[in-house]
Structure formats: structure tokens, C-alpha cells
Amino acid sequence: MENKKVKSKRVENKSDLKLIKEGYITVIAGPCAIESWEQLDAIAKVVKDLGLSFLRGGAYKPRTSPYSFQGLKEEGLKYLKKINAKYGLKTVTEVTDTENVDIIADSVDILQIGTRNMSNFALLEKVGKVANEKNKKVILKRGWASSIKEWLLAVEYITLRGNTEVVLCERGIRTFETDTRFTLDLSAVPVIKKLSKLPIIVDPSHAVGQSDLVIPMSRAAIAVGADGLIVEAHSNPSQALCDGQQSLNAKELAELVRQLKNIASVIGKKIR
Ligand code: PEP
Ligand code: MN
């Protein structure tokens, strides 16, 4: 019985779509928060039609204010499963607590650990264990007040539990600058390339906090050597319940992909 289970897992392994692939830039796009089936379905269709393979969407939202929308939680996970079945898109969502890691791992392909939890070591250990058991990939965002060294030590809480399919994500750090939400530390990309074998992606959306700055910083991230991007996109950003001001609409997302294709070709890569 046990053997049979392990065997079927291995088959799933082989057919798995890798989060990061040699020669490609992975673009993960989707809403900050899942708000309804219709909202998620509309943006998933856009993502699919652009030829991308990964959809992001928060079901459990760790908000700075307890009065802000906290996410649809289990209902949101159901929608992510449905999206995967409908479009074949791989799904990314954030784990916020040791209590929700198992249910999230049963619903999506990639577990994201957010900036606020980079140093939540109990959560990192739990994610490492569950991701290893359930063959899930992990994205570890950089804490907004964490050094690169602290980030690289944090990631070992995950990899020591056996899961080495971890991707780091630079999402901006806190500085004295106030014209952007955070300061995107793009030098982290070549530094990580020097210090670690792990892939690194960039989240320009949370770093800059304004949609019109997302495309330029995405171009820079690719040029500096990032393995991918995670960007917020919404079919109707002005109505978004979370982070609408920094979300690309469908047209802007298409423009991002168009521009990235040009840059990628210069550095011998393709967009996926
Ligand atoms: C997110 O990606 O939805 C998010 C909350 O990002 P961060 O943890 O970087 O703030
Ligand atoms: Mn967000």
C-alpha cells in the first residue's frame, strides 16, 4: 500500500513542470488576492493566452492591517485547484502559518513564504518537511529588513528538511526612500548567483508599489540575471481588494511579456 503511494508520486514527479528551467525566464502572474471565482478565472485566462504557465493568487493574506481583506482562505484554495484543472496552469499561493501548510500543499504546486515570515523558522521547517513529502516547490521571499546572509541561512531551514527545490525571491527592502513602496535590491541577484546555487526570481510589484514602475523594473531584473519574475495582475485593478495600485491590467501584462521577450532574446533566453 505504502509502496504504491510512493510509486504514483514518482510518476507525478516526472511529468512535473519545473518552476525554473535552463534557458528560460519564468513569469508568474496573477492577483494579489483571490477575490471570487470569476475574478480568478478572468485573469487566469489572460495568463494562459499569453503562453505563461504559472498563476499566483493569495488565499490567505497576511495584511499589515487587521481591518484589510484577509483572503478567501479555503474557498480560494478550491478555486486554485479548479484553475489548475481548467487551464493546466501551475499555481502559487502563500503559506502564512504552520496550521495551513498541509491543506495548501494539497491544493497548489508551489508554496510561497512571504516577506513577513522569512524568519518564522517553525514555518520554514514545516514547509520544508511538507514540500518534501508532497513534492512541492517553494518560493522564499526576502524579509524586507533581512540581509542576504540572513536570507541564505533562512532558506537552509527548508532545504535541511530535504526539499531543495527552493527559489529565492527578491521583493524589495525597507530604506529611507518613500517614492517607492520598498527599494528593489537588484544587486541581490548577482550576489545570490555568486553565493548560492539556488535560482532567484524578482517581485517588482511589491517592491515599487505602483503599476507604471513594474515594467521598467522587470526589464532590469531580467537584464541583471534573474531566473524569473512574479508580478501582480488583475483584470480590473481599480476594483481589486488588495494591491490594485501595483497590479498590471491584461493589456499591461501583455506589454510586459512582449518587452521581456525582446530582452530575453538578447541574453539567449525565452519567456515561459
Ligand atoms: C504577496 O506576494 O502576496 C505578498 C504579500 O508579498 P510580500 O510577502 O513580498 O509582501
Ligand atoms: Mn500583494
Short mmCIF file of all heavy atoms in Angstrom, two decimals, residues 32 56 61 181 206 232 242-243 246, ligand 2:
data_model
loop_
_atom_site.label_atom_id
_atom_site.label_comp_id
_atom_site.label_asym_id
_atom_site.label_seq_id
_atom_site.Cartn_x
_atom_site.Cartn_y
_atom_site.Cartn_z
N CYS A 32 -3.05 39.72 -6.44
CA CYS A 32 -2.54 39.70 -5.07
C CYS A 32 -3.40 38.69 -4.29
O CYS A 32 -2.88 37.73 -3.73
CB CYS A 32 -2.66 41.09 -4.46
SG CYS A 32 -2.08 41.16 -2.78
N ARG A 56 -0.27 33.07 -9.91
CA ARG A 56 -0.21 33.34 -8.48
C ARG A 56 -1.58 33.81 -7.99
O ARG A 56 -2.38 34.35 -8.78
CB ARG A 56 0.85 34.38 -8.12
CG ARG A 56 0.64 35.78 -8.67
CD ARG A 56 1.27 36.86 -7.79
NE ARG A 56 0.47 37.07 -6.58
CZ ARG A 56 0.94 37.51 -5.43
NH1 ARG A 56 2.21 37.81 -5.31
NH2 ARG A 56 0.13 37.67 -4.38
N LYS A 61 -4.22 35.93 3.21
CA LYS A 61 -3.47 37.18 3.02
C LYS A 61 -2.94 37.73 4.35
O LYS A 61 -3.72 38.10 5.22
CB LYS A 61 -4.38 38.24 2.38
CG LYS A 61 -4.78 37.97 0.95
CD LYS A 61 -3.62 37.73 0.01
CE LYS A 61 -2.62 38.85 -0.04
NZ LYS A 61 -1.42 38.50 -0.88
N ARG A 181 7.37 51.88 -2.76
CA ARG A 181 6.88 51.23 -1.53
C ARG A 181 8.05 50.63 -0.72
O ARG A 181 8.11 50.74 0.48
CB ARG A 181 5.88 50.16 -1.96
CG ARG A 181 5.13 49.52 -0.82
CD ARG A 181 4.05 48.57 -1.35
NE ARG A 181 3.38 47.88 -0.27
CZ ARG A 181 2.49 46.91 -0.44
NH1 ARG A 181 2.15 46.52 -1.67
NH2 ARG A 181 1.93 46.32 0.59
N HIS A 206 5.58 44.29 -5.48
CA HIS A 206 5.59 44.70 -4.08
C HIS A 206 6.72 45.68 -3.80
O HIS A 206 6.63 46.50 -2.88
CB HIS A 206 5.66 43.48 -3.16
CG HIS A 206 4.37 42.72 -3.15
ND1 HIS A 206 4.11 41.70 -4.03
CD2 HIS A 206 3.24 42.89 -2.41
CE1 HIS A 206 2.88 41.27 -3.82
NE2 HIS A 206 2.33 41.96 -2.85
N GLU A 232 2.07 41.02 -9.99
CA GLU A 232 0.64 41.05 -9.71
C GLU A 232 -0.13 41.56 -10.92
O GLU A 232 0.25 42.57 -11.54
CB GLU A 232 0.37 41.92 -8.47
CG GLU A 232 0.82 41.18 -7.21
CD GLU A 232 0.46 41.85 -5.91
OE1 GLU A 232 0.24 43.06 -5.89
OE2 GLU A 232 0.41 41.13 -4.90
N CYS A 242 -7.06 44.11 -3.00
CA CYS A 242 -5.73 44.14 -2.41
C CYS A 242 -4.70 44.51 -3.48
O CYS A 242 -4.68 43.90 -4.55
CB CYS A 242 -5.46 42.73 -1.87
SG CYS A 242 -3.91 42.52 -1.05
N ASP A 243 -3.89 45.52 -3.21
CA ASP A 243 -2.76 45.90 -4.07
C ASP A 243 -3.12 46.23 -5.53
O ASP A 243 -2.30 46.02 -6.44
CB ASP A 243 -1.68 44.80 -4.04
CG ASP A 243 -0.89 44.82 -2.73
OD1 ASP A 243 -1.05 45.79 -1.96
OD2 ASP A 243 -0.13 43.88 -2.47
N GLN A 246 -0.70 48.49 -7.68
CA GLN A 246 0.55 47.96 -8.24
C GLN A 246 0.30 46.79 -9.20
O GLN A 246 1.24 46.16 -9.69
CB GLN A 246 1.49 47.51 -7.12
CG GLN A 246 0.97 46.32 -6.32
CD GLN A 246 1.72 46.10 -5.02
OE1 GLN A 246 2.18 47.04 -4.38
NE2 GLN A 246 1.87 44.85 -4.62
MN MN B 2 0.15 41.95 -2.97
#
